[in-house]
Amino acid sequence: MLRVADHAARTDTGRARQANEDSYWVRSPLFVLADGMGGAQAGEVASKTAVDVFAEQGGLPDGPGTYEERLAALVERANVQVHERALSDEQFAGMGTTLTVAYVGEDDLAIAHVGDSRFYVLREGKLSQLTDDHSLVGELVRRGQISAEEAEDHPQRSIITRALGIEDEVVVDHFSWPVRDGDVFLLCSDGLTGMVPDARVAEIVAGAPDLSNAATRLVAAANEAGGRDNITVILFRVEDVTPGDGAVVGGPTLAGATAPSAEDVRDATATGPAAQPSGAPADPRQVVGASAGVQPRTPRPPRAGGPGSGAAPKRRRRWTGLAKGFTALAVVLVLIASGGWIATRSVYFVGTDDDGFVTLYTGLPYSLPGINLYSTEFTSGVPVQELSPQVQRTVTEHKLRSHDDAVDLIRQLEQGELAGQNPS
Ligand code: MG
């Protein structure tokens, strides 16, 4: 039987940000961390909204399903809440957040995860990352296109490919992990991992007298390295108290050292450093992302070989709509300008393939070195040469559209319904 023997958490605005957009919530054996993005105060709202879904439950509620399934269901609920909040208020349009959650059950550890915050285990001095980064560089590493070391300094490392709040549905990674007595776990935002190499993180945690000290030193190390982002760390150590192992049989894991304290139960946005100016500047992730690679090129017709060459999407998702009054273009500009990430599966545009047929693409009509930000949804039977110049412009301007709008345009072309479609 597992028991959380010790835990500690810290959050810090860092040295470059005006505000802390990270949020966390701890009630052992449940640990929740979110890193919001969205500019102004939207990132704070996004991360706090997500974390509050767990705080309102006061823990992991009973119900059908395994621990990890119940965690994932709550993450999905958090996604809906962030998404609906983003749709309901113009100032929150396009906001999103990562969310990583861990729950220590009786026999193993359950994890649910979306985004590029990370979950690690430190076992026998070795730090291993258990979650995948849902980021552009994470994808490149998994495809073997760059090494983990190259990813650490990659100019596009701030671009997130999956986050809560962007759509009304999100794919949640969830799994269980077989814990060993003495394992130490770390949840952290990228304000730590972007500044401090894994080897140094391992050294600090392994060398600290206790987890509270380790958490303080991790935050200090990130700040000493520049503190370019908000830094949040949650550490917990698990012991096996199975009868017969000579260990004390534990009661509920809320007992003793694991009982929540006032310090535990807080979120970073509510209790971040004092004197946060209101109207904080946009998420500095934008600086990293926009200045170092997400420089939209002049849109060009995608090449047929491009979208299909190694950049195939994992899955196709249904476009689920954006707030009334916002075009897809506006939302993407908000995403780029405020969050520095690109929800590349959330928008669509119409173009032509190499053979000149009108084609629906998902993503953005741009390429980064080594990767296209779009992929083919389907190709119509309409040759672009048979359209009038006016309509040709419409299908080659690569205007960002909702799924329904883009499909509607292609259907009209197929049925010859578009005004001025036939060249005279
Ligand atoms: Mg961050």
Side-chain angles (χ1 to χ4, degrees), residues 269-315:
T269 59
T271 57
Q276 294 296 343
S278 61
D283 190 328
R285 280 192 161 192
Q286 175 206 352
V287 176
V288 179
S291 67
V294 197
Q295 291 154 353
R297 301 171 180 176
T298 304
R300 56 176 175 72
R303 312 296 295 175
S309 59
K314 281 182 176 173
R315 63 207 163 76

Side-chain angles (χ1 to χ4, degrees), residues 42 45-46 49 79-96 164-169 319-327 331:
V45 170
T49 301
N79 176 65
V80 170
Q81 298 212 357
V82 176
H83 183 62
E84 287 179 350
R85 191 111 192 244
L87 294 182
S88 70
D89 192 328
E90 188 175 329
Q91 65 176 318
F92 300 142
M95 72 177 180
L164 263 63
I166 306 303
E167 298 180 76
D168 67 355
E169 290 176 7
W319 170 259
T320 50
L322 290 167
K324 284 180 183 172
F326 286 90
T327 63
V331 169

Side-chain angles (χ1 to χ4, degrees), residues 176-192:
S176 296
W177 175 259
V179 177
R180 270 199 224 155
D181 185 59
D183 280 349
V184 172
F185 296 90
L186 166 67
L187 285 112
C188 59
S189 61
D190 66 333
L192 176 71

